[in-house]
Amino acid sequence: MSAAVVALLLGGAGVAIAASPAQAAETTFKVKCVPPAGGGSPVEGETTAKVTAPATAKVGDEVDVVWETVKPASNNTDLMDIPKDSVQPTGWIALGSGMGELKVVGDKVNPPIPKKAPMQMSAMKGKLKLTKAGKITLTPGKYDVAVTFSFGTFVTKCAPTGDVGVGATIDVSPGSSGGTTNGGATNGGATNGGATNGGTNNGGTNNGGATGGSGGQTDFPGKPVDVKFDCGETVPGGITTPVTVSARKNGGNFDLTVKTAKDAMKAPVPLPKGALKPSMQIKLGGGDSGIVNVTGPANAEAIAQGAGVSLSDMTGTYKPGKTGKVTLSPADMSIDVTMVAGSAPLTVPCKATSTGVSLELDTTAQPGGSGSPATTTTTGSATSGNLAETGAEDEGGIKALALVAGTVILLGGAVFTFTPWRRLRGTR
């Protein structure tokens, strides 16, 4: 269902009400919106943005800037209604005079949006610290739209495809200088507002990896990256799902937590407690090399047929072997499937064929650090250890597992299929 849901996020926007500053100007421009992997083809449309900001100010002032979308780039599709208070926009406004860009964020406030109805989202707001005199132009640019459903959050990224007119201009006069520079990162503490995917920080709103090792910071949230896994014949078409790598500093080491899409797949048959246990490799890059193994517990409760299924969060520890900036990227994954307690699991190996950097850390080398030696994940038929020797007492489990063959399960934006157990037919 999630693959259909992300097709809803076509980069629309709606009319929102904002306070009236000294000036407001509208500009209309074309955009191309790209849904998450599995969400369909990119969509091109035209949107009208109104940017409000003071007409005049002086150096040292911190001013409010608002981006309000007057005309959406598209309507909601005819696939699904969008719930109330589930749409959150984040935009970036280009600043003139070499001041970089300003990040503006909207509240997660919207009325219910029926199928085919115009998209609606709140005005995006931010604070701009003025550090130089002159005329500062504000031009709307790329923006992200995150929509949260009960089974996860999905983000569509939109960017202009041509020239964009200036939305507003601030005439900045000399004044008391100093203070922090805008620098094009976060302004006035504007934050994403916590759009989450069952606890997973979701796509596009956190741009660039978090950087660790400075200012006493201990928690380093990563950004979600779409990872495509090739699972051979076991999963035709493979798996594509957002994966987020986050870290918590623990002395000189980092405790890692890896999350995939939540509640985005349905159980085709009843799954017993302990049926699914995930593990993954996290590849180190930049100043360090190797991999870090992370594993997650099996599902703690039985899962009814048709109920939502999640892979558990996976954890592990990264002990740096080098000092410098180190990148962390999701790599190969495997899922152990156990339908009968005490029997050997059937392992589904999945090789990451495309991935990206989810997190960047500043590290200090530790004695005996770095990641584990890289291992090879092979694709093809799933392996089952001694499954062929489980005998008649496991027959019920084998039959139940065989029922899953050919059944399509959505995992993130991907199709997850437990497939053919041809070699089990004799034991059945």
Short mmCIF file of all heavy atoms in Angstrom, two decimals, residues 21 160 199 251 277 336-337:
data_model
loop_
_atom_site.label_atom_id
_atom_site.label_comp_id
_atom_site.label_asym_id
_atom_site.label_seq_id
_atom_site.Cartn_x
_atom_site.Cartn_y
_atom_site.Cartn_z
N PRO A 21 3.49 40.90 7.15
CA PRO A 21 4.61 41.78 7.37
C PRO A 21 4.53 43.00 6.46
O PRO A 21 3.51 43.23 5.82
CB PRO A 21 5.83 40.94 7.07
CG PRO A 21 5.34 39.65 6.54
CD PRO A 21 3.84 39.72 6.46
N PRO A 160 12.74 23.51 -8.52
CA PRO A 160 12.43 24.28 -9.72
C PRO A 160 13.12 23.70 -10.95
O PRO A 160 14.22 23.16 -10.87
CB PRO A 160 12.98 25.68 -9.40
CG PRO A 160 13.06 25.73 -7.91
CD PRO A 160 13.38 24.34 -7.47
N GLY A 199 9.19 6.15 14.35
CA GLY A 199 10.42 6.31 15.09
C GLY A 199 11.61 6.52 14.18
O GLY A 199 12.68 6.85 14.64
N GLY A 251 31.56 7.35 25.24
CA GLY A 251 33.00 7.46 25.38
C GLY A 251 33.60 7.84 24.04
O GLY A 251 33.19 8.80 23.41
N LYS A 277 13.92 -12.01 12.07
CA LYS A 277 15.04 -11.39 12.77
C LYS A 277 15.98 -10.78 11.74
O LYS A 277 16.59 -11.50 10.95
CB LYS A 277 15.79 -12.42 13.62
CG LYS A 277 16.91 -11.82 14.44
CD LYS A 277 17.58 -12.87 15.33
CE LYS A 277 18.68 -12.24 16.16
NZ LYS A 277 19.35 -13.25 17.03
N ASP A 336 16.45 -13.54 8.95
CA ASP A 336 16.26 -14.94 9.37
C ASP A 336 14.78 -15.18 9.60
O ASP A 336 14.13 -14.47 10.37
CB ASP A 336 17.04 -15.24 10.64
CG ASP A 336 18.55 -15.30 10.41
OD1 ASP A 336 18.94 -15.36 9.24
OD2 ASP A 336 19.31 -15.27 11.39
N VAL A 337 14.23 -16.21 8.93
CA VAL A 337 12.81 -16.54 9.04
C VAL A 337 12.69 -17.88 9.78
O VAL A 337 13.23 -18.89 9.32
CB VAL A 337 12.16 -16.65 7.65
CG1 VAL A 337 10.68 -16.97 7.78
CG2 VAL A 337 12.37 -15.35 6.87
#
